[in-house]
Amino acid sequence: MDAERWTEVDEFVAGSLGLGDEVLEAALRAGVEAGMPEIQVSPPQARMLEILARAVGARTVLEFGTLAAYSTIWLARALPEGGRVVTLEANAKYAEVARANLERAGVAGMVDLRVGPALDALPKLEAEGVGPFDLVFIDADKVHTPDYFAWSVEHVRPGGLIVADNVVRSGTLAEADSGDATIEAQRRLHAAIAADPRVTATTIQTVGAKGHDGFTLAIVNPPDC
Ligand code: SAH
Ligand code: DHB
Ligand code: MG
């Protein structure tokens, strides 16, 4: 099987299950028109995020990496009335496109989009007492995934989830000496998880329109676990 087939399967899944609508398509188009990279989660992956959010009864979600807010819209829609998504985006131009997309989607009122490097936003969130979160989606700069994960473990409620995207990167996760800082970070993430009794985690490989990659999924253990 090759990447073309993986994409066909994603298209079949998205088409047959009706994953997407005019508003989401418009959000994607706005990103393309602004010259932004098309690296958002695929529609089947976005539906997975929705399912995870609903499965844990999420009301409060934190996202690292907004881009054009495609995943943000899916997450916001997964929440009940009064739900809130905090999403962190370093690129001010991208954030502008994201804001317009969130407005068009009718979810701007429940999304707190913060512009700037995520690592700078975290102490502020902490000081404001935002959280604890029910679900965190880590999808920003990949070298910092272990840092975002470490912060998230401290700020997700017991039974809540942490999901990290782009952990497998064409299988390079298996390379001990890749010399690639983004992959070394994903291997460090695994070492940190293995040493941390507060979480139960796994990594699931994926293929699809975005090639061969994968998600790390972690649940924050209750204190007695
Ligand atoms: N979650 C989005 C895709 C995010 S792509 C979706 O699936 O729709 C990764 C995003 O992280 C990009 O928009 C990039 O600008 C942003 N980013 C990169 N470094 C960052 C940082 N240090 N802090 C916050 N965001 C960052
Ligand atoms: C890429 C893919 C992603 O899902 C992401 O969040 C960042 C980058 C990429 O393929 O380069
Ligand atoms: Mg990603």
Side-chain angles (χ1 to χ4, degrees):
M1 258 227 320
D2 57 12
E4 208 172 304
R5 208 66 206 276
W6 300 341
T7 302
E8 286 170 5
V9 172
D10 265 358
E11 286 167 359
F12 168 77
V13 171
S16 61
L17 301 182
L19 307 182
D21 57 31
E22 265 314 302
V23 165
L24 289 164
E25 288 305 318
L28 294 178
R29 273 199 308 278
V32 171
E33 278 159 21
M36 291 161 64
E38 294 178 77
I39 53 175
Q40 67 282 341
V41 290
S42 67
Q45 292 173 342
R47 172 52 60 82
M48 181 189 77
L49 293 176
E50 177 193 347
I51 291 167
L52 292 174
R54 289 173 53 188
V56 296
R59 300 181 59 84
T60 311
V61 172
L62 174 63
E63 175 178 69
F64 293 83
T66 316
L67 193 66
Y70 181 77
S71 54
T72 321
I73 294 169
W74 276 90
L75 286 166
R77 286 176 171 180
L79 306 187
E81 182 99 38
R84 181 183 189 194
V85 182
V86 178
T87 184
L88 309 176
E89 174 54 54
N91 185 311
K93 287 240 161 69
Y94 293 0
E96 215 174 292
V97 175
R99 256 187 237 292
N101 284 339
L102 292 164
E103 290 284 348
R104 195 184 308 108
V107 295
M110 59 192 296
V111 177
D112 178 356
L113 166 57
R114 299 189 177 203
V115 184
L119 282 178
D120 296 349
L122 297 179
K124 280 188 213 128
L125 287 177
E126 165 121 10
E128 292 170 28
V130 182
F133 297 95
D134 303 301
L135 173 74
V136 175
F137 179 43
I138 301 176
D139 194 24
D141 51 327
K142 309 309 166 190
V143 283
H144 285 127
T145 294
D147 305 293
Y148 302 151
F149 190 94
W151 192 89
S152 299
V153 173
E154 304 270 354
H155 295 85
V156 168
R157 63 143 166 102
L161 300 179
I162 305 169
V163 179
D165 191 19
N166 310 113
V167 174
V168 176
R169 304 299 268 182
S170 304
T172 51
L173 180 63
E175 292 174 16
D177 303 304
S178 66
D180 177 336
T182 66
I183 280 308
E184 280 164 9
Q186 308 320 309
R187 291 178 64 94
R188 262 191 290 118
L189 170 70
H190 283 73
I193 288 171
D196 193 338
R198 296 171 300 172
V199 290
T200 301
T202 190
T203 295
I204 296 296
Q205 302 185 64
T206 55
V207 295
K210 300 190 68 188
H212 173 205
D213 213 323
F215 294 96
T216 293
L217 304 169
I219 186 165
V220 175
N221 296 324
D224 58 353
C225 181

